[in-house]
Amino acid sequence: METALAKTSQQRQVVFLTMLLLLWVSGSEAIKYSVPEETESGYLVANLAKNLGIRVGELAARGAQIHHRGNKELLQLDAETGNLFLKEKLDREVLCGATEPCVLHFQIILKNPVQFFQTELQLTDINDHSPEFPDEKMLLKIPESAQPGAMFPLKAAQDPDTGSNAVQNYTVSPNLHFHVVTHSRSDGRKYPELVLDRALDREEQPELTLILTALDGGAPPKSGTTTVRIEVVDINDNAPQFMQSLYEVQVPENIPLDALLVTVSARDLDAGIYGNIAYSLFQGDGDSQPFVIDEVTGKIRLSKKLDFEVTPSYNMEIAATDGGGLSGKCTVAVQVLDVNDNPPKLTISTLSSPIPENSPESVVAVFSVFDPDSGDNGRMVCSIQNELPFLLKSTLENYYTLATERPLDRESRAEYNITITVSDMGTPGLTTQHTITVQVSDINDNAPTFTQTSYTLFVRENNSPALHIGTISATDSDSGSNAHITYSLLPPQDPQLALASLISINVDNGQLFVLRALDYEALQAFDFRVSATDGGSPALSSQALVHVVVLDDNDNAPFVLYPMQNASAPCTELLPRAAEPGYLVTKVVAVDRDSGQNAWLSFQLLKATEPGLFSVWAHNGEVRTTRLLSERDVPKHRLVLLVKDNGDPPRSASVTLHVLVVDGFSQPYLPLPEVALDPTRDEDYLTLYLVIALASVSSLFLLSVLLFVGVRLCRRARAASLGGCSVPEGHFPGHLVDVSGMGTLSQSYQYEVCLMGESGATDFKSLKPSIPTILIPDNYMLNS
């Protein structure tokens, strides 16, 4: 059946180019085999692998299939050996009828790549049928006036065999009056006519019985017989004659029952009963003709439905017989016209689903189309939806492959419903649709994707071990095992960060846990990377950054730097009795290892010997006087200060201050606090002490003399001048006093004091501080 080319704006049409894929046989001719009919099943037809020129094992590897248009499995292929066998006994007359030659068409389909091979199997006829007459007895009326040489037609025998195995000759039983002559029709079939050799005499012999035998051309020939009874009738001079010897009629196959096809007409010149004509179907192509004839009017009507696909034409012999037994014949040829009454048929031979994504031009299906109608009614156009990424390609006659136009993406679309539409070119056109579902299988072409490129997690210090601090999440657009994600920690970039002892991750859901308690003062924040890996092969992965911030907890009390609380002797501050209100006595310096508001320190005076004499500034820890000192105020004061942070709950520390009120720094008694010596340093200074002792013994006498001379000279000079410099006796305390009322006091100070002559112990001439360096730990923050 031919393939038509059609294009519309709505659908993509397939260009029916006959493009045969590479065949290993020479040219593009079909592979032809020949087998006699009625051969037993299992008969070895041929070795297909040898004929195709391919290896034996390749047929099985490429999934060789045999497809027959009628969908009846007549042949069987052993893919392992390549042998082609008959699956059942084949009857040529059943499969092909009167068609000669009887050729069955098969297609061999191979996959990977898809290839088609056209195969033809010809069934040769054997003489397996005997001729058969339509009637066991025939009646022939011959007038006695018939002259020798007159010919009388007889009904022909039927033989389903073809060629030389069909009816070849007729014979009649020996008699004195007749012999039989065999004639050929235009289609090659034989029919008999009885020839009169000797005149008949009704009075002598009114009736004769002959045996007519039909012989075919087989070896040995087969035969069939019928009885011909001849009645000798009285004289009837004229036989009926038809107006036409051949009537040709064309009728559509869908003509309704009882429809009038044609009217035949004959006339007889005789009068009376010899002129009365009766019409009858003398003989047709078979026993069951779909026609009837009115014996009086000669009208031929349809008695059974016509089917062009079963029988495209009919030939009938019509007899007109008069009352005297004479008859005439004519032929009626009925040509059945095809109408488009059969929709196309679609047969799927191979369907591959699912199709791996990203595979270029994968063959999805192999199918064939068939329309038993003829002409334009049998020409077909195949198409699929226009928006799909698939193409139809023509291969052998009416065989097509459905293939992908481009690589598919499962993540974009995982399933396609493809409707194959087959339309014929008849009027009106008939359409067949077949929908196939193609699944797209996943391959691992997408790496996991985190919901965020980086995560910031917060955890408060002093947390409980194995605390869940957050969850990271990744998605994978693949499916199945390709989308199964496992999480893992990547080695930290900082080699000093022991990540394995800090963090753990749930490999299945990405939950993060802190393994031990964190200390903000030791570790404020740290970073690490997390990997998400899918289960594909090869596996794909992606990374995300996790930033963990440790939140401070108020777990450290304030620490007092000055005055030192761990000294062996209490800290004593000097306060001049003449100090003005607001005089800075000292400044408490404290730090807090916490951060933020947990490190905001405030100072408070808890206890004091004279509560109204001193005050402390809450934000900087400065201790100042609130009024002038009086004679009634005690010389020694003890102050207890509270240093408190701003945490929740707050933490605090207390510090004790000793304040000594002095009338002036020249007064003889200024107690020097005992300084506890570090016993571990004695050994370090032992050698130094010995050297100093030896040097002191050597120079002691010289120093004593020089001192004596100096004192004497000083006294003389003072008496002669207005005033002089005197050095106060005794050791001046090592603790410091800010006489200006400003600034911050340190841990240790030394002063050189020069008093004016005759000034007593209250006036300073000069004051020169010597400030040592105080070492403060890095982790502490001074509150100034």
Side-chain angles (χ1 to χ4, degrees):
M1 184 174 296
E2 296 181 359
T3 304
L5 180 148
K7 292 184 178 178
T8 66
S9 59
Q10 299 296 326
Q11 290 187 325
R12 173 177 35 188
Q13 302 297 334
V14 176
V15 180
F16 291 93
L17 300 176
T18 306
M19 43 180 294
L20 297 178
L21 301 178
L22 289 177
L23 300 177
W24 287 301
V25 296
S26 61
S28 58
E29 296 182 357
I31 305 173
K32 299 180 180 180
Y33 302 108
S34 179
V35 175
E37 66 168 331
E38 303 296 335
T39 302
E40 295 295 331
S41 62
Y43 174 77
L44 176 61
V45 178
N47 186 279
L48 188 60
K50 181 178 179 181
N51 295 141
L52 296 179
I54 61 177
R55 299 188 307 274
V56 173
E58 190 173 350
L59 289 175
R62 297 180 61 183
Q65 292 182 352
I66 297 179
H67 180 71
H68 180 248
R69 177 180 295 176
N71 297 323
K72 185 177 182 181
E73 297 182 0
L74 304 179
L75 296 177
Q76 182 176 0
L77 175 63
D78 186 347
E80 298 296 333
T81 62
N83 291 330
L84 191 63
F85 300 96
L86 290 180
K87 192 169 184 179
E88 61 181 41
K89 185 185 293 186
L90 304 182
D91 189 347
R92 191 202 65 81
E93 288 74 30
V94 173
L95 295 175
C96 298
T99 303
E100 184 64 25
C102 179
V103 179
L104 305 179
H105 297 277
F106 300 89
Q107 287 75 35
I108 308 297
I109 304 175
L110 301 181
K111 304 177 182 177
N112 302 323
V114 176
Q115 286 184 291
F116 296 85
F117 298 93
Q118 187 73 34
T119 306
E120 295 180 359
L121 178 63
Q122 180 176 352
L123 293 181
T124 59
D125 185 51
I126 63 173
N127 192 24
D128 55 343
H129 294 87
S130 299
E132 293 184 3
F133 285 94
D135 302 316
E136 294 183 358
K137 295 181 179 180
M138 288 189 288
L139 175 62
L140 190 62
K141 295 181 178 181
I142 300 177
E144 61 178 340
S145 60
Q147 298 296 320
M151 304 181 70
F152 304 94
L154 301 174
K155 292 183 178 181
Q158 306 293 328
D159 193 332
D161 295 325
T162 60
S164 61
N165 294 325
V167 176
Q168 299 295 323
N169 192 25
Y170 292 90
T171 62
V172 69
S173 58
N175 63 91
L176 298 176
H177 296 278
F178 297 95
H179 72 276
V180 69
V181 176
T182 303
H183 296 282
S184 297
R185 292 179 180 171
S186 59
D187 58 2
R189 289 183 293 178
K190 310 290 184 179
Y191 67 93
E193 283 192 339
L194 200 61
V195 180
L196 181 62
D197 295 329
R198 180 180 175 185
L200 299 176
D201 187 353
R202 182 178 181 279
E203 289 73 23
E204 179 181 344
Q205 190 176 3
E207 183 177 299
L208 289 84
T209 300
L210 304 177
I211 302 298
L212 180 63
T213 302
L215 299 172
D216 61 25
K222 293 187 176 183
S223 62
T225 60
T226 184
T227 302
V228 180
R229 186 167 66 88
I230 300 173
E231 292 182 359
V232 181
V233 296
D234 200 4
I235 295 175
N236 184 15
D237 295 343
N238 296 286
Q241 291 184 350
F242 281 93
M243 304 300 293
Q244 299 176 219
S245 61
L246 175 63
Y247 291 84
E248 293 181 338
V249 182
Q250 292 182 342
V251 294
E253 60 177 326
N254 60 348
I255 189 173
L257 293 177
D258 202 38
L260 176 64
L261 302 183
V262 66
T263 300
V264 296
S265 176
R267 65 178 181 175
D268 194 323
L269 298 178
D270 293 324
I273 61 171
Y274 296 123
N276 295 332
I277 299 174
Y279 299 96
S280 63
L281 289 174
F282 182 71
Q283 186 176 13
D285 292 335
D287 296 335
S288 56
Q289 290 285 340
F291 310 104
V292 293
I293 188 171
D294 189 308
E295 64 178 9
V296 176
T297 63
K299 293 182 178 181
I300 300 177
R301 297 180 179 274
L302 184 66
S303 61
K304 297 180 182 178
K305 284 286 187 180
L306 299 179
D307 190 349
F308 172 84
E309 289 71 35
V310 176
T311 307
S313 63
Y314 295 89
N315 286 294
M316 299 177 290
E317 297 284 344
I318 306 298
T321 305
D322 60 16
L326 296 181
S327 63
K329 290 193 309 176
C330 74
T331 301
V332 177
V334 179
Q335 181 69 35
V336 181
L337 300 179
D338 183 40
V339 296
N340 195 24
D341 58 345
N342 292 283
K345 299 178 181 179
L346 186 147
T347 303
I348 299 293
S349 301
T350 303
L351 177 62
S352 300
S353 181
I355 297 296
E357 64 174 331
N358 297 339
S359 297
E361 295 190 8
S362 298
V363 176
V364 177
V366 176
F367 63 93
S368 61
V369 293
F370 172 70
D371 193 325
D373 294 324
S374 63
D376 289 342
N377 296 331
R379 295 187 179 93
M380 295 168 290
V381 174
C382 291
S383 63
I384 59 175
Q385 299 100 306
N386 192 45
E387 69 277 5
L388 297 181
F390 296 90
L391 288 175
L392 284 178
K393 295 182 180 180
S394 174
T395 53
L396 292 179
E397 180 184 4
N398 294 336
Y399 271 82
Y400 303 92
T401 59
L402 177 64
T404 57
E405 183 179 20
R406 60 179 182 270
L408 304 180
D409 185 8
R410 190 204 63 83
E411 289 71 34
S412 300
R413 188 168 179 178
E415 180 180 287
Y416 293 89
N417 290 319
I418 305 172
T419 300
I420 303 174
T421 302
V422 185
S423 303
D424 59 28
M425 305 298 292
T427 303
L430 300 179
T431 298
T432 296
Q433 290 186 334
H434 185 85
T435 301
I436 61 176
T437 300
V438 177
Q439 303 285 343
V440 182
S441 62
D442 184 53
I443 65 173
N444 194 27
D445 57 344
N446 291 280
T449 303
F450 282 96
T451 56
Q452 301 174 216
T453 57
S454 63
Y455 297 81
T456 300
L457 305 178
F458 298 91
V459 57
R460 190 166 295 278
E461 66 172 331
N462 303 321
N463 57 282
S464 59
L467 176 67
H468 176 230
I469 61 173
T471 301
I472 62 171
S473 177
T475 59
D476 196 318
S477 53
D478 294 321
S479 64
S481 62
N482 295 330
H484 179 71
I485 299 176
T486 57
Y487 301 89
S488 61
L489 299 176
L490 295 177
Q493 296 179 352
D494 185 2
Q496 297 181 355
L497 180 63
L499 185 63
S501 63
L502 287 177
I503 299 294
S504 71
I505 188 170
N506 189 311
V507 297
D508 295 322
N509 55 27
Q511 292 182 345
L512 292 171
F513 300 89
V514 178
L515 297 179
R516 60 179 175 85
L518 300 179
D519 185 3
Y520 172 83
E521 289 69 34
L523 183 64
Q524 286 79 34
F526 58 93
D527 296 333
F528 61 91
R529 303 193 74 84
V530 177
S531 173
T533 306
D534 59 29
S537 179
L540 301 177
S541 64
S542 60
Q543 299 178 10
L545 177 66
V546 179
H547 179 64
V548 178
V549 178
V550 182
L551 301 178
D552 182 45
D553 207 358
N554 194 25
D555 58 343
N556 291 281
F559 181 78
V560 179
L561 295 178
Y562 179 83
M564 297 182 61
Q565 299 299 298
N566 58 352
S568 60
C571 177
T572 302
E573 305 292 342
L574 298 180
L575 174 63
R577 188 174 294 274
E580 296 293 331
Y583 176 81
L584 177 63
V585 179
T586 186
K587 180 176 182 178
V588 178
V589 181
V591 295
D592 195 319
R593 296 181 63 189
D594 295 322
S595 66
Q597 67 178 11
N598 295 329
W600 296 350
L601 301 181
S602 62
F603 300 85
Q604 180 182 356
L605 180 62
L606 292 181
K607 296 180 181 180
T609 305
E610 291 290 341
L613 181 58
F614 300 96
S615 66
V616 60
W617 287 20
H619 298 296
N620 57 14
E622 294 181 352
V623 180
R624 297 180 180 269
T625 59
T626 59
R627 61 178 173 82
L628 290 173
L629 278 78
S630 66
E631 295 294 334
R632 293 189 300 271
D633 291 330
V634 296
K636 294 183 179 181
H637 295 269
R638 182 176 177 270
L639 305 179
V640 179
L641 277 72
L642 179 68
V643 183
K644 183 173 63 174
D645 60 26
N646 198 35
D648 185 18
R651 292 179 177 267
S652 62
S654 62
V655 59
T656 302
L657 296 176
H658 295 272
V659 179
L660 179 62
V661 180
V662 296
D663 292 331
F665 290 106
S666 61
Q667 68 185 47
Y669 178 73
L670 291 177
L672 178 67
E674 297 179 0
V675 179
L677 298 177
D678 188 357
T680 61
R681 302 179 62 183
D682 292 344
E683 295 180 359
D684 297 335
Y685 293 101
L686 180 58
T687 303
L688 180 61
Y689 292 159
L690 292 176
V691 174
I692 295 174
L694 291 175
S696 298
V697 171
S698 301
S699 60
L700 180 61
F701 177 77
L702 179 60
L703 292 176
S704 300
V705 174
L706 293 176
L707 180 62
F708 176 77
V709 173
V711 172
R712 296 294 294 177
L713 291 176
C714 183
R715 287 180 179 179
R716 290 180 180 180
R718 184 178 55 185
S721 62
L722 293 177
C725 179
S726 64
V727 178
E729 297 179 356
H731 184 72
F732 194 81
H735 299 283
L736 45 149
V737 176
D738 188 350
V739 297
S740 65
M742 300 296 291
T744 302
L745 300 181
S746 300
Q747 182 178 4
S748 177
Y749 290 83
Q750 290 183 350
Y751 292 87
E752 293 180 1
V753 180
C754 184
L755 302 177
M756 297 294 294
E758 305 297 331
S759 64
T762 60
D763 296 328
F764 288 99
K765 180 179 181 181
S766 63
L767 184 63
K768 184 187 296 182
S770 176
I771 303 174
T773 302
I774 300 175
L775 298 178
I776 301 176
D778 294 337
N779 295 340
Y780 287 81
M781 179 178 66
L782 295 177
N783 187 345
S784 57

